[in-house]
Amino acid sequence: MGREKGTGATSQGKQHFSHPHNLKLVNPTESETLSCNACEKPNNNNKPNFYGCNSCQYFLHENCLNAPRFLDHSSHPSHPLNLFPIPTYSSRSYTCKACGSNGNGFCFSCACCEFDIHLQCASCPSSILVDKHPHQLELLFGSPYDDKDITYVCDICNVIMNRDSWLYYCAGCDFASHLQCASTPEVGVFPIQQRSNPNRYRNTIPNPNATVEMINSVNDAHERLMAAQLESQIAARSRQAILDSIDGPSRRYSYY
């Protein structure tokens, strides 16, 4: 099991909403592989900061631990995405709208739209350079063609692509690539999520008590929003379960 390291404030660990115990900086042995409960990826030497609770065998990469609780993402502009530590579906898994693969760890989710994406997919860069193509590839959130029925393949692995999944694309060369073929998606550093403040330009003296009250108010509102979305999703699951028990489960098809 990973050995805890560090002294002083570091040894006290960090708190995270997904786990009841403090998570301390750990130092896995060379022969030991620990998996992050958030992104489900192993620790590696390139990212030494790995936090965990040894007694519960619960571990998080530092970037996963620092992921924001909510995210405004251009792939889903209609609603903010909330960070959930476990999928809210009865199957305890979800299908990522970005890459099309299943996930059991953390996800950014819009419960009312049933929109879920991996942490690592949410932090994919908007453009990328790959050694398989001379030009920069841009991140797209679906088919690059006006005719959405056109079938196309990944120009790196030559496999037919899911027309609803994200891709990297060079429009000038009509070159397309799966996310995972263009790079190995990893959880990066998310931009700070800021909410607009209509009073930020007023010439007033800051009030520390008012600032604390505002922060608490925003946090309470966010928790209420998450609870409402989760309640709505659970209710929808219950209705679907009742319909399935009467008519049988509906079939769902996917293609890649």
Side-chain angles (χ1 to χ4, degrees), residues 130-152:
V130 298
D131 58 6
K132 302 291 185 181
H133 190 72
H135 306 137
Q136 182 170 273
L137 305 181
E138 303 295 330
L139 179 64
L140 301 182
F141 303 129
S143 173
Y145 306 109
D146 293 333
D147 183 356
K148 302 306 178 183
D149 292 328
I150 291 179
T151 300
Y152 51 96

Side-chain angles (χ1 to χ4, degrees), residues 7 19 24 42 74 81 120 126 146 151 161 202 240 250 253:
T7 58
H19 194 72
K24 297 183 179 181
S74 52
L81 304 179
Q120 56 267 36
S126 59
D146 293 333
T151 300
M161 302 182 70
R202 290 184 181 177
Q240 184 62 49
S250 58
Y253 300 92

Side-chain angles (χ1 to χ4, degrees), residues 149-203:
D149 292 328
I150 291 179
T151 300
Y152 51 96
V153 301
C154 172
D155 288 295
I156 294 180
C157 70
N158 294 317
V159 172
I160 294 177
M161 302 182 70
N162 186 329
R163 287 169 287 190
D164 294 324
S165 294
W166 300 3
L167 70 155
Y168 280 108
Y169 187 68
C170 173
C173 301
D174 193 27
F175 182 97
S177 168
H178 290 113
L179 300 184
Q180 62 271 25
C181 290
S183 66
T184 301
E186 293 184 350
V187 179
V189 178
F190 290 91
I192 297 175
Q193 300 296 302
Q194 297 180 337
R195 296 185 183 275
S196 59
N197 178 7
N199 298 320
R200 64 184 181 276
Y201 297 121
R202 290 184 181 177
N203 186 21

Side-chain angles (χ1 to χ4, degrees), residues 4-159:
E4 295 176 1
K5 64 180 181 179
T7 58
T10 303
S11 65
Q12 297 303 314
K14 294 187 177 183
Q15 289 185 328
H16 194 266
F17 76 97
S18 67
H19 194 72
H21 307 139
N22 276 3
L23 303 180
K24 297 183 179 181
L25 195 61
V26 296
N27 183 23
T29 62
E30 292 183 2
S31 60
E32 184 179 29
T33 299
L34 303 177
S35 293
C36 175
N37 285 72
C39 67
E40 303 179 85
K41 302 295 184 182
N43 61 296
N44 58 60
N45 294 329
N46 295 327
K47 296 183 180 299
N49 288 344
F50 206 65
Y51 289 84
C53 173
N54 277 330
S55 60
C56 299
Q57 287 293 282
Y58 187 90
F59 303 99
L60 297 176
H61 289 115
E62 184 174 34
N63 284 347
C64 295
L65 183 145
N66 292 328
R69 293 288 299 273
F70 66 91
L71 183 68
D72 293 317
H73 201 278
S74 52
S75 65
H76 193 69
S78 50
H79 304 112
L81 304 179
N82 291 299
L83 180 63
F84 287 110
I86 57 173
T88 59
Y89 304 94
S90 59
S91 63
R92 288 295 179 262
S93 65
Y94 64 92
T95 300
C96 177
K97 296 291 186 182
C99 66
S101 62
N102 292 332
N104 302 101
F106 285 23
C107 67
F108 280 110
S109 175
C110 175
C112 59
C113 297
E114 298 188 8
F115 182 94
D116 308 276
I117 53 177
H118 292 119
L119 268 69
Q120 56 267 36
C121 292
S123 60
C124 281
S126 59
S127 61
I128 195 172
L129 289 171
V130 298
D131 58 6
K132 302 291 185 181
H133 190 72
H135 306 137
Q136 182 170 273
L137 305 181
E138 303 295 330
L139 179 64
L140 301 182
F141 303 129
S143 173
Y145 306 109
D146 293 333
D147 183 356
K148 302 306 178 183
D149 292 328
I150 291 179
T151 300
Y152 51 96
V153 301
C154 172
D155 288 295
I156 294 180
C157 70
N158 294 317
V159 172

